[in-house]
Amino acid sequence: QVTLRESGPALVKPTQTLTLTCTFSGFSLSTTGMCVSWIRQPPGKALEWLALIDWDDDKYYSTSLKTRLTISTDTSKNQVVLTMTNMDPVDTATYYCARTRWLQPGYYFEYWGQGTLVTVSS
Amino acid sequence: QTVVTQEPSFSVSPGGTVTLTCGLSSGSVSTSYYPSWYQLTPGQAPRTLISNTNTRSSGVPDRFSGSILGNKAALTIAGAQADDESHYYCVLYMGSGIVVFGGGTKLTVL
């Protein structure tokens, strides 16, 4: 059974760095074709893809946010970490992680976590 | 910057059929964009419906289908039910590891 769970602070201050952790089970990120992505949804707005890390440790980022994002993995802990620097109130959103399947070359989000709400406010 | 377009809202009668579309602000959508579709209902984790244009995810009823219609990707829901009332998002693969979500369609069943 595949499960993913997001964790991190519910509240961060403007200019701070956000660190979110996705803890997963039921699959190995070392398996060819397996990836984990981060996606967010601001209140009342559309979903937005943020970043992806694949089985070969290749990393891909949203064009508009790539200067602020870092995705990494701790395979021994079955975790994927996303950091986002210089947080702003517009970054208030529910952040999801999702197991992602590579279709070579495309991919899709196969399983999702429940999401974690992050509010940016002083 | 390429924008992925979806109808902001759509309405369907119970038992009816509705087709939601996913296009590009510039150009046509083809299978090379690996379109996928997701259902997002408040309070629930997103649900994956369709991948790679027309592959239904496990557990998704066959009244949900994906296709390319003209120059857009399409999600067709046949025999609409009350619990299909939700937001639907498409995703297109833009190359170089980048995907873009559409703006989402709010589907009302009434």
Side-chain angles (χ1 to χ4, degrees), chain B residues 4 8 12 22 33 65 69 78 92 96 99 101-102:
Chain B
V4 178
V12 62
C22 176
Y33 284 86
S65 61
L69 286 181
L92 299 180
S96 302
V99 296
F101 277 88

Side-chain angles (χ1 to χ4, degrees), chain B residues 4-31:
Chain B
V4 178
T5 61
Q6 295 185 248
E7 299 87 358
S9 62
F10 230 116
S11 183
V12 62
S13 300
T17 297
V18 62
T19 297
L20 312 181
T21 68
C22 176
L24 289 169
S25 56
S26 176
S28 299
V29 177
S30 67
T31 56

